[in-house]
Amino acid sequence: MITLENVTKTYAGETTIGPINVQIPSGGITSLVGPNGAGKSTVLTMMGRLMSPDSGRITVGGLDVAQAKSNEVAKTLAILRQENHFVTRLTVRQLIGFGRYPHSRGRLTVEDERHINEALEFLNLTALQDRYLDELSGGQRQRAYVAMVLAQDTEYVFLDEPLNNLDMSHSVQMMRQLRAAADDLGRTVIVVMHDINFASRYSDNILAMNDGQVTHFDTCADTMKSSVLTEIFGTSVRIIDDIDGPLAVYF
Amino acid sequence: MTKLSPTRPDGLVTSIGASKNPGLWSRTWPLLIGLMVTLSLIIASLFIGVYDLSSEGGREMFLITRVPRTLALILSGASMAVVGLIMQLMTQNRFVEPSTTGTIEWAGLGLILTYIFIPQPSLMLRMMVAIVFALIGTIIFFAFLQRVALKSSLVVPIVGLMLGAVVGAVSTFVALQAEMLQNLGIWFAGSFTGVTRGRYELLWIVAVTTIIVYFVADRFTVAGLGQEIATSVGLNYRAVMIVGISIVAITTGVVSVVVGSLPFLGLVVPNIVSMFRGDNLRTNLPWVVMVGIVVITLTDIIGRTIIMPFEIPVSMILGVLGATVFVYLIVRRGRRG
Ligand SMILES: Nc1ncnc2c1ncn2[C@@H]1O[C@H](COP(=O)(O)OP(=O)(O)O)[C@@H](O)[C@H]1O
Ligand SMILES: [Mg+2]
């Protein structure tokens, strides 16, 4: 379980995020949605202890992320932010190997190699494992970073817009793989998403933010309603019932 | 789609893992060749010079000048190359090294001030002051870096070079006032000419710092993935930065005192190695060390022989080489977009 109690963050004295009070249950996929600038990345980054809130308390799996030892937290949660600009010249396999850092401190054991191979297979990167990261496309690199995060073998996995660089088929693949990570590996996945239809099709819960506040937190089924979505996104949204479930139409 | 069970029922490492392990031999022969090239250059360095070693007193001369000079080449070449690499990992910027961050110039300022305020300062004192000043300079540079959004941009080394230019100008002014301009000139033209027995031994300190780097190498590689990823995998990012900055300052300070300024070595070597072998510090360290030794020994031999019996300072040749590599890196980056 993830709990946020009275969490606030103020940027440069202007934009204020929070106070946020929310409890996200363990298991499954929870999507963070909302307009640009709503505060999704801020909240995810604070949950992943990459930034400390100005006030309030965040616990993930019972650990107070601000207080617990960094290495302890690294065995409980892994976070991946949007892509950074500098690309180290590591191979895909070496990168994923560093996902094992909390467990092995760099000296890979047979157990670590097993996790690395599984993560490679899981994201269809086995053929690319010896390629350098700076010789990959943005999408392939994105998959390599996700594989690294999964190899970290943490119960909680936080991803900020993992579909950013991916084409349609790889987006679908990525979401299926995250689904499998939740279902088969028992991970709790929190993911910031742009596309509400992707979010509703592949996740269990939707947490919507607007203007620094959590405005809605419910199951997908209860979120995919015209009135709810219109309020979340501030633009009129219709629902069409497809055979696989509801689809939001907003153009 | 590949599905994955949480634990493989057979509990075995997949065959991919096995096929990914090339034989011991195919991994070691490039290293052996590198080692042979390095050793032959070291031997060449020992036997090249004006003095005829077969004449009377040749043995003495060999021990007093050639051996210390060659050891100094090995120690400073290896350590400055390694320092360049850890700086590049810490800053996530390929263009960063002690001469593009002002670190070397700060050490120089420290040295000039020591000469002015203390008549005949001991080697130890000069070294301590150089290290402290290198530390101040490096901290200033890193503090600046914290305010830059795009860390991999060219703005970073440009500002570093400017910082260095300002500090260098202050040194020149101070030296001018104290009529010590010549000392400063000699210092900036880093050279191994005056490195003899009794004058190089401090360099063993950088052998120690280089060995320390080997033992904490993985931390620097992880830091090279950026503060966020490093934190996510549980690295104490601040501590790694503090250790790294200290190693940079100590190495630059010691080398500055014994040899003088050795610009661009830390830029050239890691970039060459990275091209062929990537950035995994621990497995690359032997290569960075070897290429560092090869580059500095070669430039020193060229400097010694090209206008024999006179010598061109190593720093001059390094400057030309460094500028070439610098431009090449920029052009290559432009092509990649
Ligand atoms: N480093 C920062 N400095 C100042 N303001 C920021 C910073 N990061 C984000 N913000 C502001 O905080 C708000 C929330 O940003 P963010 O969490 O990135 O939103 P989202 O991910 O939902 O698009 C925005 O208004 C944004 O402009
Ligand atoms: Mg965002």
Side-chain angles (χ1 to χ4, degrees):
Chain A
M1 180 139 87
I2 302 164
T3 60
L4 286 84
E5 287 169 31
N6 286 316
V7 172
T8 65
K9 178 82 199 176
T10 303
Y11 283 118
E14 276 184 48
T15 331
T16 302
I17 314 283
I20 291 170
N21 285 287
V22 70
Q23 296 196 343
I24 303 171
S26 289
I29 300 180
T30 299
S31 286
L32 258 62
V33 300
N36 289 330
K40 307 180 294 291
S41 298
T42 305
V43 167
L44 196 81
T45 311
M46 290 191 296
M47 285 180 358
R49 60 95 158 76
L50 298 183
M51 183 167 67
S52 38
D54 294 338
S55 67
R57 187 162 172 270
I58 301 174
T59 65
V60 175
L63 282 181
D64 183 330
V65 295
Q67 305 288 324
K69 281 184 69 176
S70 186
N71 198 50
E72 237 12 76
V73 180
K75 287 175 182 165
T76 305
L77 72 87
I79 176 165
L80 181 64
R81 297 256 288 139
Q82 276 139 305
E83 212 195 349
N84 56 358
H85 297 277
F86 181 84
V87 183
T88 327
R89 256 174 86 77
L90 292 178
T91 65
V92 172
R93 192 180 178 86
Q94 286 170 341
L95 177 80
I96 298 173
F98 282 109
R100 299 297 302 162
Y101 190 79
H103 307 276
S104 62
R105 303 257 126 198
R107 307 275 164 168
L108 299 178
T109 63
V110 175
E111 164 84 2
D112 294 322
E113 300 286 351
R114 183 175 65 81
H115 280 282
I116 295 167
N117 288 326
E118 285 181 357
L120 279 166
E121 253 177 82
F122 206 64
L123 284 145
N124 294 327
L125 287 166
T126 305
L128 295 176
Q129 62 176 315
D130 290 323
R131 287 267 287 276
Y132 283 111
L133 293 173
D134 60 351
E135 292 162 1
L136 299 178
S137 74
Q140 291 168 331
R141 202 148 55 220
Q142 179 77 353
R143 275 155 57 209
Y145 282 114
V146 172
M148 175 190 186
V149 162
L150 289 183
Q152 200 172 328
D153 197 27
T154 53
E155 187 187 341
Y156 296 87
V157 176
F158 303 159
L159 305 167
D160 198 345
E161 302 199 22
L163 306 185
N164 234 352
N165 283 305
L166 302 185
D167 59 31
M168 219 185 286
S169 87
H170 280 109
S171 293
V172 171
Q173 247 182 50
M174 175 68 78
M175 289 317 291
R176 285 186 182 160
Q177 281 144 353
L178 293 181
R179 195 65 252 174
D183 295 342
D184 303 344
L185 309 179
R187 312 289 181 86
T188 304
V189 182
I190 315 287
V191 57
V192 175
M193 297 279 277
H194 232 80
D195 185 328
I196 181 67
N197 286 318
F198 257 113
S200 76
R201 187 67 40 106
Y202 289 102
S203 44
D204 302 290
N205 308 306
I206 293 197
L207 191 154
M209 290 194 65
N210 209 336
D211 247 350
Q213 301 292 332
V214 173
T215 52
H216 180 91
F217 180 42
D218 215 331
T219 59
C220 284
D222 286 329
T223 308
M224 293 302 281
K225 289 174 181 156
S226 173
S227 57
V228 176
L229 291 180
T230 300
E231 200 188 313
I232 291 174
F233 289 99
T235 176
S236 116
V237 182
R238 274 187 304 125
I239 295 290
I240 296 179
D241 275 309
D242 184 48
I243 30 170
D244 292 324
L247 275 179
V249 183
Y250 42 85
F251 17 72
Chain B
M1 182 190 120
T2 26
K3 269 219 169 179
L4 171 89
S5 49
T7 45
R8 289 178 60 89
D10 52 6
L12 287 176
V13 179
T14 46
S15 57
I16 310 137
S19 73
K20 276 329 296 165
N21 262 331
L24 192 63
W25 177 240
S26 66
R27 267 182 296 150
T28 39
W29 73 258
L31 253 176
L32 283 178
I33 291 180
L35 207 61
M36 264 154 63
V37 171
T38 314
L39 281 176
S40 10
L41 272 169
I42 289 172
I43 290 167
S45 166
L46 282 172
F47 289 97
I48 288 175
V50 178
Y51 198 90
D52 182 7
L53 289 178
S54 58
S55 68
E56 198 187 330
R59 207 183 109 81
E60 275 294 284
M61 210 53 193
F62 187 73
L63 291 179
I64 292 172
T65 65
R66 294 288 170 76
V67 172
R69 181 177 191 145
T70 305
L71 279 173
L73 285 167
I74 293 170
L75 293 170
S76 53
S79 63
M80 288 306 275
V82 169
V83 157
L85 181 51
I86 65 171
M87 285 186 93
Q88 284 156 30
L89 289 173
M90 285 194 296
T91 57
Q92 299 205 295
N93 192 309
R94 288 250 169 266
F95 301 98
V96 165
E97 70 111 27
S99 70
T100 60
T101 56
T103 305
I104 286 190
E105 284 76 8
W106 275 92
L109 178 62
L111 285 174
I112 272 292
L113 290 177
T114 323
Y115 276 114
I116 289 174
F117 287 109
I118 295 153
Q120 298 183 332
S122 71
L123 202 56
M124 197 54 111
L125 179 72
R126 275 182 279 156
M127 181 190 80
M128 297 308 286
V129 176
I131 289 175
V132 169
F133 272 71
L135 195 61
I136 294 171
T138 316
I139 288 171
I140 289 176
F141 177 78
F142 273 84
F144 148 78
L145 198 69
Q146 288 221 307
R147 299 175 196 284
V148 187
L150 197 55
K151 293 199 172 7
S152 54
S153 72
L154 258 179
V155 173
V156 170
I158 288 172
V159 171
L161 284 164
M162 273 159 41
L163 276 174
V166 171
V167 177
V170 172
S171 299
T172 308
F173 178 76
V174 171
L176 199 63
Q177 296 297 311
E179 291 179 7
M180 294 183 69
L181 211 50
Q182 208 182 358
N183 301 39
L184 191 69
I186 291 171
W187 178 80
F188 259 113
S191 162
F192 291 87
T193 312
V195 178
T196 52
R197 196 158 67 190
R199 277 221 46 205
Y200 85 99
E201 286 77 1
L202 279 181
L203 280 177
W204 288 111
I205 294 173
V206 304
V208 175
T209 53
T210 306
I211 290 167
I212 292 175
V213 170
Y214 181 79
F215 282 105
V216 293
D218 287 323
R219 286 157 217 235
F220 287 117
T221 312
V222 173
L225 293 169
Q227 179 164 13
E228 299 193 331
I229 292 180
T231 309
S232 177
V233 296
L235 187 80
N236 187 340
Y237 190 78
R238 267 187 86 81
V240 171
M241 286 294 165
I242 290 168
V243 170
I245 290 172
S246 310
I247 288 175
V248 168
I250 293 171
T251 309
T252 311
V254 171
V255 171
S256 294
V257 168
V258 178
V259 184
S261 145
L262 288 181
F264 294 120
L265 194 63
L267 178 83
V268 174
V269 176
N271 277 293
I272 292 175
V273 173
S274 172
M275 237 174 273
F276 296 102
R277 301 200 27 105
D279 289 329
N280 193 349
L281 181 57
R282 180 152 52 87
T283 52
N284 279 4
L285 208 65
W287 285 96
V288 176
V289 164
M290 279 193 313
V291 177
I293 294 171
V294 165
V295 169
I296 195 138
T297 312
L298 257 181
T299 46
D300 184 63
I301 289 176
I302 292 170
R304 268 194 269 176
T305 49
I306 203 162
I307 52 163
M308 227 162 173
F310 303 103
E311 290 195 16
I312 299 176
V314 192
S315 65
M316 214 146 117
I317 303 169
L318 279 178
V320 173
L321 186 69
T324 315
V325 171
F326 201 95
V327 170
Y328 171 75
L329 285 175
I330 293 170
V331 171
R332 196 171 68 125
R333 215 160 84 124
R335 267 210 308 271
R336 286 209 193 157

